[in-house]
Amino acid sequence: MKGIEVVFPHRVPIVEINTVGDGHRLSCNKLTHTVLGQTLRYRRHREESNGSRKALTIELAAPDHGIAVFVRYEVDGSAAMVRTETTVVNENSVEPVILDSITSWTSSFGAPQGGGADMRSWNLTEGAYDWLAEGRWRTTPIADLLPAIGQELTNVDPRQQHAVISSGTWSTGRFAPLGILESRELGLTWLFQIEHNGAWRWDVQDDTVDGVIALAGPTSENHNWERVLRQGESFTAVPVSFTVGCDFDAVIANVTDYRRAMRSPHRDNDEPRVVFNDYMNTLYGDPTTAKELPLIKAAGEIGVEIFVIDCGWYDDSGDWWPSVGEWIPSATRFPGEKGIVEVIDAIRDAGMVPGIWLEPEVIGVKSPMAWKLPDSAFFQRHGQRVVEQDRYILDLRDRAARAHLDAVIDRLVNEYGIGYFKMDYNVSPGAGTDYRADSPGEGLLGHNRAYCAWVDDVRRRHPDVILENCSSGGMREDFAQLSRFQVQSTSDQQDYRLYPAIASSALMMALPEQSANWAYPQADMTLEQAAFNINTTFLGRFFLSGYINRMDAEQHALTAAGIDAYKRYVQPVVGKARPFWPLGLPEWTDTVVAVGLDAGATALVTVWNRDGGGSAVDLAMPRWSARDALVEQVFPEPSATFSRWSADWDSGTGTLSVDVPAGGYVSRTFRLTFV
């Protein structure tokens, strides 16, 4: 891969399968060291080619166990990253094969050509997530996670591992399904990700001779998942992908290229349009005609291109949460002969695409649809519907559930002209559903896959409609979702002072053109605070909220200037740019945060100061060393209101030195043009 050669002095099985009837060969809680993993042997392989994509499928067999396994590796010529998945077939075992776990990828850490393995020279970068606190990345030496314990004296591999586990349907509700292993001593870096919108697990393990990586979807031990394979039946594990490079920047470039190569095509991908949404720090789920019309007028005046009506538009009761599900516009919120059409027409007349909020996978307990749909349409356990925070969860394996949602989407597109859907998801159903499933975890996995297939079908029927993935903010930032959606909400964070750490780290999981970081400038903010807000969304998908209709002339002009600068400097390049972090990935409490976009001949860098002391900050940009650069402050532009921050380029070291002023919440974005 791009000149990187890796050897594997310590060899491990390419797939590990744990079953009830076989178990581990060494008693442990690992995804590896299984009897079947050791028993499987090569049978044959085949190669395929389809345009720029090539695939290699390796067929393995364990004849005494009656199973065959197919491990498929796929690459695209435009991206140095491998996608892999595993299929298990019960070929001739009369007794059912009861699967407890399957790895989609396993590998030892490896070493450079001519070198030896050194497990404790590696560092692991992983992401912690929570509602309002997404993307808190930290780096830890493997030697601290997996300490030397003298296991070589026992002649047995240790049980120790670092296991990262996500349960339920918030795939990034606690941790990221992505990790980076880097050894500067060996000059190697791995990046791996699990491409699944449900339960998953990844491990970094101590195998004495070297470390081991193992990636999987749901497991019996962690997720109440089992799959029973009767003779002739098969099961395919969740897809994962991996890449290797010489350093952190190289694997980030690889995964960025891969995400663009493997996502669904859409005309909005290359130059993402500016979005206004009425929810955050604004209407909070209480839309009405009287409240929307002034916001629509103001949004059209400042250059917004998409206007989204958020939650509550269907609710007549004043309690929008438990009434979701039927998706009929409220007549009390939108009175008059035209109802909500008056608002939608106003959006269109202002030159914007009308958008609307949905939470498609749930039905509120007070919704009429709760009793119009059969029990088979809902998650169940032991014959009872699963309830979570006043919602039933739709099971999209069910034909009636899918038909209901198809009718909703088609009606909103065909009758109302909706061109943008914000698809939210605010509850997680636990282990899953045991209805028509071998286990609750298997029912959940079936729903996860059915949801993705449903989204694909929406795309086929309405190819121009733009889809936003929101799950209580950024609770499902997995590539199964991100490969299908044009926009990714990154958080529900309402404090503008906290958001820069989320906004900059969001580019670890989402493409820049997908990353929708909220900006919500308000009439009671200073101009510097408003500019700080706007810079939080500037190097991604411009995603605006706030009472822009209440702004004075200066605030109005600043917001319009932010959108104009975005369209001039960011929109043309963001769909091709790669992210970088000139100060490294941010800590949650860092006072100075910075993120950049590498657009080849140009670079864009945003710097935030969160009430810190003034200092000169050196932004490392070594890829452009030995090149001269023109440095411009592009937002906010220097003026009588906004000072010019001194920014000096050192071509010898590839460093941009920025003098950050002391105090307050202030931010600037710079463009560097290289010659």
Side-chain angles (χ1 to χ4, degrees):
M1 286 182 167
K2 294 188 177 181
I4 298 295
E5 293 189 31
V6 186
V7 297
F8 300 93
H10 176 54
R11 298 180 181 179
V12 298
I14 63 172
V15 61
E16 296 270 14
I17 303 171
N18 197 21
T19 69
V20 170
D22 294 292
H24 291 89
R25 58 185 169 84
L26 169 66
S27 183
C28 60
N29 301 103
K30 292 182 175 183
L31 292 169
T32 61
H33 289 70
T34 65
V35 169
L36 283 172
Q38 187 179 46
T39 304
L40 288 165
R41 292 295 181 268
Y42 170 85
R43 181 187 277 175
R44 63 180 69 91
H45 72 274
R46 71 174 184 274
E47 298 179 42
E48 304 167 76
S49 181
N50 183 10
S52 64
R53 298 199 180 163
K54 299 183 184 300
L56 168 67
T57 300
I58 299 175
E59 183 179 341
L60 309 169
D64 292 344
H65 299 260
I67 70 165
V69 179
F70 300 83
V71 184
R72 177 183 171 86
Y73 303 93
E74 182 181 359
V75 296
D76 188 279
S78 63
M81 194 158 181
V82 180
R83 187 177 192 264
T84 180
E85 60 185 14
T86 302
T87 300
V88 182
V89 181
N90 180 348
E91 284 192 323
N92 50 40
S93 173
V94 176
E95 290 294 319
V97 176
I98 304 174
L99 301 172
D100 277 350
S101 68
I102 307 171
T103 61
S104 297
W105 180 56
T106 55
S107 176
S108 56
F109 291 2
Q113 182 71 41
D118 181 6
M119 182 183 78
R120 301 188 200 284
S121 74
W122 296 79
N123 295 318
L124 175 67
T125 298
E126 56 188 319
Y129 275 68
D130 204 340
W131 184 55
L132 311 182
E134 294 86 349
R136 289 168 290 122
W137 294 85
R138 62 183 182 274
T139 299
T140 310
I142 288 293
D144 291 347
L145 296 171
L146 306 172
I149 57 175
Q151 68 265 22
E152 63 275 5
L153 301 177
T154 69
N155 201 33
V156 176
D157 283 335
R159 297 185 178 95
Q160 69 172 341
Q161 63 190 312
H162 178 68
V164 181
I165 299 163
S166 178
S167 58
T169 47
W170 282 330
S171 57
T172 53
R174 295 181 62 211
F175 306 108
L178 179 150
I180 295 177
L181 279 165
E182 182 174 19
S183 173
R184 294 184 180 179
E185 290 88 342
L186 299 178
L188 293 177
T189 302
W190 290 102
L191 181 148
F192 51 85
Q193 65 178 7
I194 300 171
E195 301 181 7
H196 180 50
N197 57 326
W200 53 262
R201 170 178 169 175
W202 60 263
D203 291 3
V204 173
Q205 306 171 356
D206 183 353
D207 245 17
T208 302
V209 178
D210 196 6
V212 170
I213 311 163
L215 312 184
T219 70
S220 174
E221 180 176 0
N222 304 118
H223 308 107
N224 201 358
W225 176 86
E226 286 183 334
R227 175 64 186 269
V228 178
L229 293 184
R230 293 165 181 83
Q231 192 169 358
E233 293 181 337
S234 65
F235 171 76
T236 299
V238 305
V240 305
S241 52
F242 63 89
T243 185
V244 65
C246 59
D247 57 23
F248 179 92
D249 287 345
V251 296
I252 291 295
N254 290 349
V255 74
T256 302
D257 294 345
Y258 171 84
R259 289 168 177 164
R260 290 192 174 117
M262 302 297 281
R263 66 178 166 174
S264 300
H266 196 283
R267 65 188 183 93
D268 196 64
N269 289 345
D270 291 334
E271 291 195 5
R273 282 168 277 181
V274 175
V275 178
F276 181 92
N277 179 295
D278 69 28
Y279 181 83
M280 190 62 70
N281 293 2
T282 312
L283 298 188
Y284 286 129
D286 189 26
T288 66
T289 300
K291 293 177 181 179
E292 294 284 13
L293 293 181
L295 288 169
I296 292 166
K297 179 177 182 295
E301 290 172 348
I302 60 176
V304 169
E305 295 164 294
I306 299 167
F307 188 100
V308 181
I309 305 166
D310 210 277
C311 55
W313 57 271
Y314 46 83
D315 176 65
D316 285 326
S317 69
D319 187 10
W320 64 267
W321 182 272
S323 62
V324 295
E326 191 173 29
W327 308 115
I328 301 297
S330 167
T332 57
R333 293 181 178 276
F334 307 102
E337 184 178 343
K338 296 175 69 176
I340 198 172
V341 174
E342 180 181 357
V343 175
I344 294 171
D345 284 349
I347 294 170
R348 195 178 291 109
D349 291 344
M352 298 180 288
V353 174
I356 210 160
W357 177 94
L358 288 179
E359 195 170 352
E361 294 162 84
V362 298
I363 300 289
V365 296
K366 295 182 179 180
S367 169
M369 293 308 302
W371 311 113
K372 291 180 181 179
L373 290 170
D375 285 340
S376 62
F378 299 96
F379 274 49
Q380 302 174 47
R381 289 200 287 273
H382 302 290
Q384 294 186 14
R385 290 188 189 182
V386 175
V387 178
E388 182 68 8
Q389 198 176 343
D390 292 331
R391 272 95 176 274
Y392 301 113
I393 293 89
L394 281 179
D395 185 344
L396 291 194
R397 297 176 300 164
D398 182 78
R399 183 178 300 175
R402 294 194 305 273
H404 165 60
L405 293 185
D406 286 343
V408 169
I409 294 292
D410 292 349
R411 172 168 48 83
L412 290 170
V413 173
N414 297 331
E415 294 184 21
Y416 293 93
I418 298 299
Y420 181 109
F421 287 101
K422 174 180 177 177
M423 293 190 178
D424 209 343
Y425 187 74
N426 290 304
V427 297
S428 182
T433 174
D434 60 16
Y435 179 68
R436 294 185 297 127
D438 295 330
S439 61
E442 175 60 13
L444 178 61
L445 177 61
H447 163 76
N448 296 143
R449 288 173 162 170
Y451 175 71
C452 288
W454 175 75
V455 172
D456 291 341
D457 195 48
V458 170
R459 291 251 40 83
R460 282 189 291 271
R461 298 201 315 276
H462 306 290
D464 292 332
V465 167
I466 300 168
L467 300 180
E468 174 192 338
N469 179 38
C470 176
S471 301
S472 283
M475 299 291 94
R476 290 200 297 189
E477 291 187 26
D478 58 82
F479 193 62
Q481 303 275 83
L482 285 159
S483 65
R484 291 171 164 87
F485 287 79
Q486 290 71 57
V487 184
Q488 172 64 55
S489 172
T490 62
S491 187
D492 280 348
Q493 179 54 250
Q494 294 176 234
D495 188 336
Y496 77 94
R497 299 167 298 182
L498 298 176
Y499 217 131
I502 298 170
S504 57
S505 63
L507 302 183
M508 286 287 288
M509 298 299 294
L511 288 166
E513 61 269 30
Q514 290 176 307
S515 296
N517 305 302
W518 290 97
Y520 25 72
Q522 303 286 0
D524 60 357
M525 289 182 175
T526 68
L527 292 176
E528 281 285 9
Q529 289 170 334
F532 184 101
N533 260 270
I534 292 168
N535 266 333
T536 298
T537 198
F538 198 72
L539 295 190
R541 163 75 70 153
F542 202 105
F543 206 66
L544 185 67
S545 194
Y547 282 107
I548 54 176
N549 56 308
R550 299 177 182 175
M551 291 179 170
D552 64 26
E554 283 188 305
Q555 294 165 331
H556 185 276
L558 174 65
T559 308
I563 292 174
D564 181 67
Y566 177 82
K567 291 178 179 178
R568 192 186 329 160
Y569 299 113
V570 183
Q571 201 174 57
V573 301
V574 67
K576 304 176 185 65
R578 295 166 171 169
F580 66 96
W581 293 267
L583 296 176
L585 292 170
E587 296 287 341
W588 184 250
T589 57
D590 281 351
T591 54
V592 179
V593 176
V595 69
L597 294 181
D598 172 1
T602 62
L604 291 154
V605 181
T606 297
V607 183
W608 297 266
N609 180 23
R610 300 195 286 180
D611 205 23
S615 64
V617 176
D618 290 337
L619 305 178
M621 301 170 61
R623 73 199 69 187
W624 290 285
S625 61
R627 297 178 67 179
D628 292 331
L630 170 67
V631 182
E632 305 168 83
Q633 181 175 303
V634 296
F635 187 79
E637 291 185 353
S639 66
T641 303
F642 295 103
S643 64
R644 182 189 299 275
W645 289 10
S646 174
D648 297 318
W649 173 249
D650 184 338
S651 61
T653 60
T655 302
L656 179 67
S657 295
V658 178
D659 286 335
V660 177
Y665 289 83
V666 290
S667 177
R668 299 290 186 269
T669 294
F670 301 92
R671 184 175 73 158
L672 290 82
T673 304
F674 299 98
V675 294

